[in-house]
């Protein structure tokens, strides 16, 4: 069984930056990966296949992590430029992170995780040394904190229910479990409970009210690939 936090990085970036367009996209159920694929491949959104959508994820996430599209074709570089026009709140947030690092060398997530760049320098183009890390680490780090919290909650739930099924590992934003054939529904329910409950637990532990909903997809197959 694989239980995935769908689009977690995009949601975390939206939560941390309070970008209004990201909020609207999530609340309206926009498929940002299909949107990216249609732009990158210059095709109608209706022509986007599953494989094209999967391949486009790297481009969707790249701006979240400080990517600028250098070396890409002109229309792809234009996508990167327009990304930050559309998501101007995210652009302002990333600038505030870089400005903060220049002032005190630190970025801190709502969970208390800190990242330090004590020797950061400002470049002539306005960006700073380690800019990709500075804008990337908070999103990846806080998202990982939520995944790990969900793992702890799932482990305790499995134990309380006396399940034979076992948690195995995480893959990016997914939790993978070896599921006993008689416990498929129980595992699905336990993982759903564990993952949907992280926001309430984050509020209790960190005094942080995550402002966006989380989405979860759960599938079970004979192997992890099926």
């Amino acid at each position: 069984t694989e239980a995935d936090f769908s689009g977690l990085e995009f949601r975390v970036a939206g939560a941390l930056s309070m970008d209004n367009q990201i909020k609207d996209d999530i609340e309206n159920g926009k498929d940002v990966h299909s949107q990216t694929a249609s732009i990158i491949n210059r095709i109608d959104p209706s022509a986007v296949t599953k494989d094209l959508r999967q391949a486009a994820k790297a481009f969707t996430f790249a701006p979240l992590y400080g990517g600028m599209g250098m070396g890409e074709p002109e229309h792809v570089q234009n996508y990167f430029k327009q990304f930050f026009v559309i998501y101007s709140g995210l652009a302002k947030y990333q600038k505030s992170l870089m400005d903060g690092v220049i002032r005190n060398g630190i970025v801190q997530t709502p969970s208390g995780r800190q990242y330090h760049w004590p020797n950061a320098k400002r470049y002539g183009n306005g960006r700073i040394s380690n800019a990709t890390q500075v804008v990337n680490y908070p999103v990846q780090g806080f998202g990982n904190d939520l995944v790990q919290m969900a793992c702890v909650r799932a482990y305790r739930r499995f134990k309380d229910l006396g399940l034979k099924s076992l948690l195995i590992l995480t893959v990016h934003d997914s939790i993978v479990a070896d599921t006993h054939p008689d416990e498929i529904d129980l595992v699905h329910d336990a993982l759903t409970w564990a993952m949907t409950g992280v926001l309430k637990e984050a509020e209790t532990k960190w005094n942080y009210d995550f402002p966006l909903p989380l989405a979860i997809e759960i599938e079970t197959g004979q192997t992890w690939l099926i």
Side-chain angles (χ1 to χ4, degrees):
T1 298
E2 180 181 21
D4 178 48
F5 279 113
S6 302
L8 182 61
E9 295 96 336
F10 193 61
R11 293 166 191 268
V12 170
L16 295 179
S17 66
M18 296 300 291
D19 185 288
N20 288 328
Q21 188 60 54
I22 293 180
K23 180 180 178 182
D24 288 346
D25 286 354
I26 291 172
E27 291 178 347
N28 292 323
K30 178 183 283 186
D31 186 340
V32 293
H33 299 312
S34 290
Q35 173 182 266
T36 301
S38 69
I39 295 171
I40 297 302
N41 294 284
R42 291 188 279 193
I43 59 176
D44 190 86
S46 62
V48 173
T49 65
K50 183 177 180 180
D51 288 342
L52 288 175
R53 181 184 181 277
Q54 181 66 29
K57 287 185 177 182
F59 291 98
T60 299
F61 294 141
L64 302 181
Y65 304 150
M68 303 297 289
M70 300 301 292
E72 297 291 346
E74 184 177 354
H75 76 281
V76 177
Q77 292 189 37
N78 287 335
Y79 158 78
F80 278 78
K81 294 175 183 177
Q82 288 302 310
F83 184 96
F84 288 111
V85 173
I86 296 170
Y87 301 114
S88 59
L90 178 63
K92 291 178 181 177
Y93 168 70
Q94 291 189 350
K95 182 179 183 300
S96 72
L97 291 177
M98 290 187 279
D99 290 345
V101 167
I102 290 296
R103 285 195 303 270
N104 57 33
I106 297 174
V107 170
Q108 181 168 317
T109 68
S111 58
R113 184 191 292 262
Q114 290 187 340
Y115 302 100
H116 293 246
W117 292 273
N119 300 312
K121 298 178 181 180
R122 179 82 70 181
Y123 294 140
N125 63 2
R127 288 170 69 83
I128 68 171
S129 55
N130 303 105
T132 300
Q133 294 176 353
V134 170
V135 301
N136 181 356
Y137 286 9
V139 175
Q140 293 274 33
F142 189 50
N144 183 65
D145 288 337
L146 295 176
V147 173
Q148 298 309 313
M149 181 184 285
C151 286
V152 172
R153 289 172 54 84
Y155 174 79
R156 291 172 178 167
R157 192 69 161 183
F158 278 32
K159 188 174 181 180
D160 289 344
L161 294 172
L163 299 184
K164 299 174 184 176
S165 303
L166 299 172
L167 295 177
I168 300 301
L169 78 166
T170 60
V171 179
H172 301 296
D173 301 326
S174 299
I175 300 173
V176 180
D178 273 357
T179 303
H180 190 281
D182 296 336
E183 297 177 347
I184 293 175
D185 290 340
L186 290 172
V187 168
H188 283 213
D189 290 345
L191 290 171
T192 299
W193 175 88
M195 297 169 76
T196 56
V198 295
L199 297 188
K200 186 64 177 177
E201 190 153 340
E203 185 176 358
T204 300
K205 287 183 177 294
W206 304 324
N207 194 30
Y208 177 73
D209 184 11
F210 197 94
L212 294 169
L214 296 180
I216 299 167
E217 295 180 357
I218 302 179
E219 295 181 325
T220 296
Q222 292 295 318
T223 72
W224 183 64
L225 295 175
I226 301 176

